[in-house]
Amino acid sequence: IPKSQPREHNGEIVTTCQKCRCYKPQRAHHCSICGRCVRLMDHHCPWVNNCVGQSNQKHFLLFVIYICITSTMALSLTIFRIVRCAKMDWEGPCNFGKGLSPLNFIGLIIESLLFALFTMIMGCDQICHIASDTTGIEKLQNVDAAESSGSLVQRLQRVFGRPVSWLWLIPVDPLLPRARHSVLSDV
């Protein structure tokens, strides 16, 4: 595909990526790690070894939220056990047994706290990007969103699917209306 200037095709602006030389949709960015252009790319995530963008933002956000919930639960259960055992003077079922020491509990508390805080911050960041209709890359580049239309619920529906339902809570592909036929419909 030869380099081209932005041009309009069926009401959509079509450009060519200078790095991968493929058609590049609006608001797409080239990922140097994946070697491809990703529509509404937020960042390349080493946890999932993939770019977070339009097609998997729901899955990434649920992943981060579920890790935060799991870490908070592990932290709560560990602290509950330590408090309960401290009241019992570390006798009976609170005996550490073979291979288990107070350092294991301290390590679990630190690890759970760090994971809970990190994933909570990542989840809040993703929700803020959805609410403002921007991506992490667009924020770093100080680029305003092209069309910031609709309410917060409508923006969440673009990521999680329509209508609002319990399917928002499980990692299944969102129910989105079919895209109109376009040169870039499969990008």
Side-chain angles (χ1 to χ4, degrees):
I1 299 172
K3 275 192 191 180
S4 66
Q5 296 298 321
R7 58 188 169 97
E8 191 171 334
H9 179 72
N10 291 338
E12 191 169 10
I13 304 285
V14 178
T15 59
T16 304
C17 177
Q18 295 176 359
K19 295 176 183 167
C20 64
R21 308 198 43 91
C22 293
Y23 289 119
K24 183 177 178 180
Q26 287 181 317
R27 297 183 69 191
H29 297 279
H30 183 85
C31 176
S32 59
I33 298 169
C34 294
R36 62 187 174 95
C37 290
V38 179
R39 190 185 296 242
L40 296 176
M41 180 179 163
D42 188 77
H43 67 283
H44 183 89
C45 181
W47 285 10
V48 294
N49 192 29
N50 203 356
C51 290
V52 176
Q54 181 179 12
S55 62
N56 64 352
Q57 189 173 21
K58 172 189 177 180
H59 303 292
F60 178 75
L61 185 57
L62 289 177
F63 173 70
V64 167
I65 289 170
Y66 293 155
I67 289 175
C68 183
I69 291 169
T70 304
S71 298
T72 304
M73 189 170 137
L75 181 65
S76 302
L77 290 173
T78 305
I79 291 173
F80 175 77
R81 175 153 182 196
I82 289 173
V83 168
R84 190 175 126 222
C85 289
K87 287 181 181 178
M88 296 173 59
D89 291 329
W90 302 96
E91 298 293 326
C94 295
N95 196 349
F96 283 112
K98 246 184 183 175
L100 194 61
S101 72
L103 291 176
N104 293 102
F105 284 107
I106 293 169
L108 182 59
I109 288 172
I110 291 170
E111 183 178 7
S112 298
L113 185 62
L114 289 175
F115 268 91
L117 286 173
F118 179 72
T119 54
M120 181 180 66
I121 290 168
M122 287 293 294
C124 290
D125 184 57
Q126 287 295 307
I127 291 170
C128 288
H129 289 312
I130 293 169
S132 64
D133 197 22
T134 59
T135 66
I137 292 175
E138 291 171 345
K139 286 269 190 192
L140 288 173
Q141 295 175 344
N142 290 326
V143 175
D144 292 331
E147 293 179 19
S148 188
S149 62
S151 66
L152 175 61
V153 173
Q154 290 171 329
R155 291 179 189 154
L156 286 169
Q157 286 177 337
R158 280 186 228 145
V159 174
F160 289 95
R162 293 181 184 96
V164 176
S165 75
W166 62 272
L167 291 174
W168 279 24
L169 302 175
I170 58 174
V172 297
D173 286 333
L175 302 171
L176 298 172
R178 292 194 184 269
R180 60 182 170 78
H181 181 71
S182 163
V183 174
L184 305 171
S185 61
D186 295 329
V187 178

